[in-house]
């Protein structure tokens, strides 16, 4: 509620809060709002203030015209104006209210057009004649025009209407009619459509109200459509760029002033025009990571949004390192971050550094002190924490004193923690006077030892955006509470002010992404480094074999919303499988080998090698050759010692099994056992597959293989939320899965894999997807398991 309404009545007596609320409640009801709408509106302070201001304007204008203030039938139009009007065009709202009061604006379409006009002209003097023309004042759409237009639209759909009757989507008719008659009364159009449909179709029948029966598609046709849909996704039909083109509704370059909460100053028009001259109207975004760790899966969303937005509108995106905290920044993080951006398929227009602007940022800090908008403070970090802060005792210290102290901070005359430079403003969440500069005696990766004072993110971010002429400052939702300081700083320094837009963060269950907590995992030797495949850093996902294309597609499928999103890893796995299934060639590997000798091999006249397709399920013609001899290896799990149960369909006493790709059936002849009685090998007889000996199952195998190492990864944490103290009282380190990594030191794979390269990806038949690890060498090949194959609950 506006403070003026709460504190003082017309006879200058203080109001109680309850009486102020009752007054606001009565005013909102004057608009014709329902009880629930009034209650909902009162929860939104800024909207309530705007509506109360508009109501007062309307009542004053009605009273001045000698009209009855109590009964006013246009309340819905005033509510429309109040909800769509933004603070930066509030000074033009009286003109719109007057048009409604004088009955010149009669419909929601006209009211919306009027608000759009004053928003577009927020920085200019209002041309009332042009406003009236823009919102259709004086244009009368007659009943005959409405009748004729509806008749024409219905005629264009007549054949479909007669067939579908009232199950036809009537919204199409209403939409087409309103498009042709922009200023017509919407309610009158709806009534005319209803009347003409009745004349054409007659009254509704019971059949008209029944839902349409679902036509069961032919199974083959349905499967074909599913496959086509899957292929469309995999081929990139669902990309962040396409999503942004169709869903993103952000301001056009140079129209910053149209966005919610943007602050207008006497210089805004000039600054925007100068900005347009410098950029040529080009979209400019930036991805601004802090180089104190490697990027995680949430950053994949941020990278995609920033770079794809620029690409979608033929713009550019910079990679800007926010290197303002030298304590934790390392060269490897700068390099690793850039590598991951490029791995995701994006090329920065420029690579910039906040530290490049340290000199300019320092000069601007002096300007703020000279304007009385910043002061040097000696409160400790603990004293500044919390929401219920008391003003600093140094808030009103003399400007000259703050200037001298700030100079002393820069020249190294004060100790760390002894002083900070703070800005005189209050953020949305109530935080008072955020810190702009602090003292740190640290070596900086780029500026070396030039500085001992470093700007904070809150101070640096918006000003670097301004320096780089960023048009759309896209960031995660937690920065919404800093938007006011973003605009305040740019306007206080009289520099170009970009627009900040927020979107929801992306987090994942069963992991931690905090850089501090990942460092604890590393120092505790639970994981090897930032790229350990059990983590969800981008480097770890890449090392595990997750394709960048699949990750981009997954992020795009999640959409762009303002709410935080926490997903289960299997959701991402589904996108990755879709991609890998089409792009990872199939091969055979045996994780736990048992040797099998074919006793009648010489009589079978079989080739010494066979050609196998890389992608058996599609028309791809690429193949690879594998060896075949009298000795081969199968999975130990594919053999059952003794008589097997009915559920076991592979090799056992009295039960044959087929070999994939070679067309042979194996019959057990003999087990070779060790001293402890365990089976160390098998002897079998082989036959070519025919109608009489067709086996229940076919298994994979290798012959004359090479040995490789395979690393099998499971979830690193047992609980969904390892950081939740109620779920994991002992802390996230206590929740680690001790069996999250298993290493198989002697896995047999087809010999042709001896020439694989690091990060090559394969589907091991019947096992899963695997990628060549970074530790691999010519003499020692190592595979990481990326994912298991999608499980089929119908298979035993």
């Amino acid at each position: 509620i506006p403070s003026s309404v709460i504190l003082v009545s017309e006879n200058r007596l203080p109001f109680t809060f309850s009486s102020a609320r009752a007054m606001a409640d009565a005013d909102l009801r004057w608009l014709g709002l329902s009880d629930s709408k009034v209650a909902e509106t009162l929860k939104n302070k800024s909207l309530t203030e705007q509506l109360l201001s508009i109501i007062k304007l309307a009542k004053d204008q009605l009273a001045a015209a000698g009209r009855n203030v109590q009964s006013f039938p246009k309340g819905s139009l005033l509510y429309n104006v109040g909800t769509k009007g933004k603070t930066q065009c509030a000074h033009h709202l009286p003109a719109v209210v007057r048009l409604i009061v004088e009955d010149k604006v009669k419909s929601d379409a006209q009211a919306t057009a009027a608000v759009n006009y004053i928003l577009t002209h927020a920085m200019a003097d209002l041309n009332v004649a042009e406003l009236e023309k823009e919102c259709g004042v004086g244009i009368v759409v007659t009943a005959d025009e409405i009748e004729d237009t509806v008749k024409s639209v219905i005629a264009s759909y007549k054949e479909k209407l007669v067939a579908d009757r009232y199950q036809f989507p009537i919204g199409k008719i209403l939409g087409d009619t309103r498009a042709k008659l922009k200023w017509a009364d919407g309610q009158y159009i709806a009534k005319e459509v209803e009347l003409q449909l009745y004349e054409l179709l007659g009254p509704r029948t019971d059949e008209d109200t029944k839902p349409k029966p679902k036509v069961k598609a032919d199974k083959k046709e349905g499967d074909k459509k599913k496959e086509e849909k899957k292929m469309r996704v995999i081929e990139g039909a669902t990309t962040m760029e396409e999503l942004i083109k169709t869903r993103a509704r952000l301001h056009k370059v140079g129209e910053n002033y149209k966005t919610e909460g943007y602050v207008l100053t006497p210089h805004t028009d000039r600054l925007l025009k100068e900005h347009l001259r410098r950029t040529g109207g080009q979209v400019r975004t930036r991805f601004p990571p802090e180089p104190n760790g490697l990027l995680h899966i949430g950053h994949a969303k941020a990278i995609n949004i920033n770079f794809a937005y620029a690409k979608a509108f033929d713009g550019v995106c910079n990679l800007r390192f926010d290197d303002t905290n030298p304590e934790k920044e390392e060269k490897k993080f700068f390099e690793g971050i850039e590598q991951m951006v490029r791995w995701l398929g994006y090329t920065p227009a420029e690579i910039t550094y906040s530290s490049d602007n340290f000199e300019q940022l320092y000069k601007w800090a002096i300007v703020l002190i000279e304007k009385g908008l910043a002061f040097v403070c000696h409160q400790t970090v603990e004293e500044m924490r919390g929401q219920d802060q008391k003003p600093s005792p140094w808030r009103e210290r003399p400007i000259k004193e703050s200037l001298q102290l700030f100079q002393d901070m820069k020249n190294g005359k004060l100790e760390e923690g002894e002083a900070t430079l703070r800005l005189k403003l209050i953020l949305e969440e109530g935080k008072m006077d955020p810190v702009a500069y602090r003292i740190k005696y640290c070596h900086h990766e780029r500026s070396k030892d030039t500085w001992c004072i470093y700007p904070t993110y809150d101070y640096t971010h918006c000003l670097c955006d301004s320096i780089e002429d960023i048009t759309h400052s896209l960031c995660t939702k937690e920065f919404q509470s800093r938007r006011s300081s973003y605009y305040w700083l740019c306007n206080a320094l009289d520099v170009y002010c970009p627009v900040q837009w927020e979107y929801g963060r992306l987090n994942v269950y069963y992991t931690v992404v905090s850089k501090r907590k990942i460092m604890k995992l590393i120092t505790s030797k639970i994981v090897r480094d930032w790229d350990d495949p059990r983590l969800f850093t981008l480097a770890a996902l890449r090392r595990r074999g997750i394709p960048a294309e699949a990750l981009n597609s997954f992020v795009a499928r999640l959409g762009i919303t303002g709410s935080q999103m926490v997903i289960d890893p299997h959701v991402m796995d589904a996108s990755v499988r879709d991609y890998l299934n089409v792009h990872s060639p199939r091969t055979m590997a045996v994780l736990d080998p048992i040797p099998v000798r074919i006793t009648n091999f010489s009589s079978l006249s079989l080739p010494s090698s066979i050609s196998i397709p890389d992608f058996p399920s599609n028309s791809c013609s690429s193949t690879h050759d594998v060896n075949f001899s009298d000795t081969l290896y199968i999975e130990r799990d594919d053999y059952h010692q003794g008589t097997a149960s009915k559920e076991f369909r592979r090799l056992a006493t009295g039960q044959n099994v087929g070999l994939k790709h070679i067309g042979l059936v194996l019959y057990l002849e003999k087990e070779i056992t060790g001293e402890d009685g365990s089976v160390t090998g098998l002897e079998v007889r082989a036959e070519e597959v025919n109608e009489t000996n067709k086996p229940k199952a076919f298994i994979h195998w290798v012959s004359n293989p090479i040995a490789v190492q395979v690393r099998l990864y499971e979830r690193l944490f047992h609980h969904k939320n390892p950081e939740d103290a109620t779920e994991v009282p002992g802390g996230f380190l206590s929740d680690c899965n001790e069996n999250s990594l298993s290493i198989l030191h002697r896995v047999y794979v087809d010999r042709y894999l001896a020439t694989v390269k690091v990060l090559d990806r394969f589907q091991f038949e019947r096992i899963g997807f695997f990628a060549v690890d970074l530790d691999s060498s010519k003499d020692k090949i190592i595979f990481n398991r990326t994912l298991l194959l999608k499980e089929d609950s119908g298979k035993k």
Side-chain angles (χ1 to χ4, degrees):
I1 314 298
S3 56
S4 57
V5 174
I6 293 175
L7 297 177
V8 183
S9 68
E10 289 181 4
N11 59 4
R12 317 293 283 180
L13 291 176
F15 266 177
T16 64
F17 179 78
S18 58
S19 63
R21 185 179 178 89
M23 176 176 150
D25 188 286
D27 275 344
L28 292 175
R29 289 180 191 281
W30 182 78
L31 293 177
L33 302 184
S34 64
D35 290 348
S36 60
K37 199 67 177 175
V38 168
E40 180 187 337
T41 303
L42 284 170
K43 292 177 184 176
N44 187 329
K45 181 182 175 183
S46 59
L47 174 59
T48 301
E49 288 183 355
Q50 179 117 305
L51 288 171
L52 292 179
S53 173
I54 287 172
I55 290 167
K56 186 177 185 309
L57 281 171
K59 286 183 174 180
D60 288 348
Q61 291 178 13
L62 286 167
R67 293 172 60 184
N68 185 354
V69 173
Q70 296 309 312
S71 59
F72 184 66
K74 301 287 185 179
S76 63
L77 297 184
L78 294 176
Y79 183 80
N80 183 332
V81 170
T83 54
K84 292 178 180 174
K86 294 182 172 65
T87 53
Q88 56 266 42
C89 64
H91 54 295
H92 289 329
L93 282 176
V96 178
V97 173
R98 183 172 298 281
L99 292 178
I100 294 172
V101 168
E102 293 175 354
D103 207 29
K104 290 181 177 179
V105 166
K106 303 178 181 183
S107 69
D108 281 331
Q110 286 182 294
T112 300
V115 171
N116 288 340
Y117 179 85
I118 63 170
L119 182 58
T120 304
H121 295 77
M123 294 186 294
D125 293 334
L126 191 64
N127 184 325
V128 177
E130 195 174 277
L131 167 64
E132 291 185 358
K133 181 181 178 182
E134 194 66 24
C135 60
V137 170
I139 297 176
V140 178
V141 181
T142 66
D144 287 343
E145 285 179 285
I146 293 174
E147 181 181 343
D148 291 343
T149 304
V150 170
K151 189 178 292 183
S152 168
V153 172
I154 286 179
S156 68
Y157 292 114
K158 186 173 181 180
E159 186 177 337
K160 190 73 174 156
L161 273 166
V162 171
D164 293 354
R165 290 182 57 77
Y166 287 101
Q167 292 191 354
F168 182 87
I170 308 304
K172 284 186 177 182
I173 300 171
L174 293 171
D176 287 0
T177 305
R178 286 170 182 158
K180 292 173 183 288
L181 301 173
K182 187 177 179 182
W183 307 120
D185 184 285
Q187 292 182 342
Y188 195 98
I189 288 175
K191 288 178 181 177
E192 183 62 31
V193 168
E194 185 180 354
L195 176 63
Q196 291 197 30
L197 285 177
Y198 186 87
E199 291 175 354
L200 175 66
L201 305 175
R204 291 176 184 266
T205 66
D206 290 341
E207 287 295 317
D208 290 328
T209 59
K210 290 181 181 178
K212 280 186 176 181
K214 291 185 178 178
V215 180
K216 194 170 182 180
D218 176 72
K219 187 176 185 306
K220 286 185 179 179
E221 187 64 26
D223 290 344
K224 182 181 177 183
K225 286 183 178 178
K226 282 182 183 177
E227 190 62 30
E228 286 175 354
K229 183 178 180 182
K230 184 190 290 186
M231 287 300 294
R232 283 198 301 273
V233 172
I234 292 169
E235 288 170 2
T238 304
T239 65
M240 186 61 75
E241 187 181 345
E242 290 178 6
L243 183 69
I244 283 169
K245 281 182 177 178
T246 55
R247 304 286 178 86
R249 296 288 182 269
L250 307 188
H251 69 283
K252 293 180 180 178
V253 178
E255 294 185 356
N256 304 27
Y257 59 90
K258 290 186 178 182
T259 58
E260 187 68 47
Y262 196 81
V263 180
L264 297 183
T265 73
H267 308 290
T268 301
D269 186 47
R270 170 182 60 81
L271 291 169
L272 285 176
K273 286 176 179 174
E274 290 172 355
H275 158 73
L276 281 173
R277 280 197 293 272
R278 290 192 298 270
T279 64
Q282 182 185 53
V283 167
R284 291 187 179 182
T285 62
R286 81 291 166 273
F287 172 59
E290 186 179 354
N292 62 349
L294 293 188
L295 305 178
H296 56 71
I297 188 170
H299 291 113
K301 181 177 181 180
I303 292 168
N304 268 274
I305 288 175
N306 276 285
F307 280 90
Y309 190 86
K311 188 177 178 183
F313 298 103
D314 298 321
V316 295
C317 181
N318 293 340
L319 169 59
R320 181 170 76 233
F321 287 105
D322 178 41
D323 55 342
T324 57
N325 186 1
E327 286 180 305
K328 299 176 182 178
E329 295 164 3
E330 296 180 37
K331 184 178 180 180
K332 69 176 183 179
F333 296 141
F334 286 89
E335 294 172 347
I337 287 170
E338 182 184 347
Q339 185 181 45
M340 288 303 99
V341 169
R342 295 185 186 278
W343 173 64
L344 287 177
Y346 296 109
T347 302
E350 288 184 57
I351 297 177
T352 62
Y353 303 83
S354 294
S355 58
D356 290 344
N357 302 310
F358 277 174
E359 185 65 37
Q360 179 61 67
L361 294 173
Y362 172 73
K363 289 178 180 177
W364 275 336
I366 291 174
V367 172
L368 291 171
I369 297 172
E370 289 173 341
K371 286 186 172 185
L373 299 176
F375 65 99
V376 173
C377 175
H378 303 290
Q379 283 187 304
T380 64
V381 172
E382 289 72 24
E383 289 172 326
M384 288 188 279
R385 278 183 179 148
Q387 296 299 316
D388 188 21
Q389 299 175 32
K390 293 180 181 179
S392 166
W394 293 278
R395 197 172 198 268
E396 301 305 328
R397 81 187 317 158
I399 290 173
K400 187 175 180 181
E401 192 175 309
S402 279
L403 284 171
Q404 182 59 55
L405 283 167
F406 189 52
Q407 186 73 24
D408 291 345
M409 288 170 62
K410 176 183 180 291
N411 292 336
K413 294 183 178 181
L414 301 177
E415 297 297 324
E416 283 193 25
E418 190 177 344
T420 59
L421 182 70
R422 297 175 68 180
L423 306 173
K424 288 187 181 180
L425 79 152
I426 299 176
L427 300 177
E428 285 90 335
E429 77 266 22
K431 182 176 174 61
M432 180 180 288
D433 301 340
V435 172
Y437 270 89
R438 69 276 203 222
I439 302 169
K440 286 183 183 290
Y441 292 106
C442 297
H443 181 78
H444 190 278
E445 180 67 29
R446 289 179 57 78
S447 63
K448 309 304 178 188
D449 298 316
T450 305
W451 298 88
C452 63
I453 56 170
Y454 292 95
T456 61
Y457 179 91
D458 285 337
Y459 178 74
T460 308
H461 182 59
C462 60
L463 298 180
C464 286
D465 279 353
S466 178
I467 290 169
E468 293 182 15
D469 272 315
I470 299 304
T471 60
H472 298 77
S473 178
L474 309 173
C475 56
T476 47
K477 198 71 173 179
E478 68 265 30
F479 293 105
Q480 186 171 4
S481 62
R482 279 112 156 211
R483 194 198 290 182
S484 61
S485 71
Y486 187 106
Y487 294 159
W488 181 90
L489 257 173
C490 290
N491 290 323
L493 291 165
D494 195 21
V495 296
Y496 160 69
C497 183
V499 176
Q500 178 173 300
W501 289 97
E502 303 92 9
Y503 54 87
R505 284 175 66 100
L506 169 61
N507 286 331
V508 182
Y509 288 127
Y510 298 104
T511 192
V512 295
V513 294
S514 158
K515 295 170 183 175
R516 179 176 57 84
K517 290 176 180 174
I518 290 175
M519 275 305 302
K520 279 192 176 182
L521 290 170
I522 295 170
T523 55
S524 302
K525 298 186 177 180
I526 294 171
V527 298
R528 291 176 59 190
D529 208 338
W530 290 86
D531 64 349
D532 188 296
R534 289 166 289 182
L535 296 174
F536 275 77
T537 62
L538 295 186
L541 294 174
R542 173 175 174 260
R543 185 169 189 169
R544 179 149 61 94
I546 303 295
E549 299 87 346
L551 194 55
N552 290 342
S553 175
F554 161 69
V555 169
R557 290 187 204 188
L558 296 178
I560 307 173
T561 63
S563 57
Q564 177 171 305
M565 195 173 291
V566 188
I567 57 105
D568 199 286
H570 74 77
V571 179
M572 182 188 76
D573 292 349
S575 287
V576 174
R577 279 195 190 94
D578 284 346
Y579 184 90
L580 290 176
N581 203 41
V582 175
H583 293 86
S584 295
R586 294 192 186 185
T587 190
M588 293 190 289
V590 177
L591 303 189
D592 186 11
I594 181 172
V596 177
R597 188 174 72 85
I598 302 174
T599 58
N600 62 329
F601 182 80
S602 59
S603 64
L604 295 173
S605 301
L606 295 168
S608 60
S609 69
I610 59 171
S611 183
I612 296 176
D614 291 330
F615 300 94
S617 60
N618 64 29
S619 58
C620 178
S621 59
S622 65
T623 62
H624 61 273
D625 292 334
V626 300
N627 296 319
F628 191 75
S629 66
D630 64 341
T631 300
L632 49 91
Y633 298 85
I634 66 171
E635 294 285 358
R636 193 168 292 274
D637 284 349
D638 283 337
Y639 170 70
H640 188 283
Q641 191 172 9
T643 304
S645 64
K646 290 182 179 179
E647 287 78 14
F648 189 81
R649 300 183 177 184
R650 286 152 287 165
L651 186 61
T653 301
Q655 180 167 285
N656 64 4
V657 73
L659 292 182
K660 297 192 78 172
H661 306 297
I662 194 69
L664 289 182
V665 181
L666 304 184
Y667 296 85
L668 180 66
E669 289 188 332
K670 182 181 178 182
E671 293 178 345
I672 310 299
T673 57
E675 291 181 1
D676 60 356
S678 62
V679 177
T680 58
L682 303 171
E683 291 186 356
V684 299
R685 177 174 52 84
E687 292 179 0
E688 292 187 9
V689 177
N690 56 50
E691 287 300 319
T692 60
N693 67 3
K694 195 169 183 180
K696 294 179 180 179
F698 285 83
I699 61 173
H700 63 280
W701 51 273
V702 292
S703 182
N704 190 24
I706 59 170
V708 300
Q709 184 186 105
V710 166
R711 297 170 181 173
L712 305 177
Y713 297 97
E714 303 290 345
R715 284 177 178 164
L716 183 57
F717 296 98
H718 294 293
H719 289 83
K720 261 188 172 184
N721 301 296
E723 298 169 275
D724 187 340
T726 57
E727 210 173 312
V728 187
F732 74 99
L733 290 178
S734 70
D735 195 47
C736 292
N737 175 12
E738 293 180 359
N739 301 314
S740 59
L741 171 61
S742 302
I743 299 178
L744 307 179
H745 293 281
R746 195 161 186 80
V747 170
Y748 287 158
V749 299
D750 286 318
R751 186 164 291 276
Y752 85 100
L753 293 179
T755 58
V756 293
K757 300 186 296 296
V758 165
L759 297 179
D760 280 352
R761 294 183 290 264
F762 299 90
Q763 180 183 151
F764 289 179
E765 293 203 42
R766 300 177 62 226
I767 301 174
F769 297 100
F770 292 76
V772 182
D773 186 71
L774 302 176
D775 289 341
S776 294
S777 66
K778 184 178 179 182
D779 300 323
K780 184 180 180 181
I781 298 172
I782 302 169
F783 283 93
N784 293 323
R785 183 170 67 191
T786 306
L787 289 173
L788 288 168
L789 295 177
K790 188 174 182 180
E791 293 180 1
D792 186 341
S793 58
K795 289 183 179 178
K796 301 270 184 194

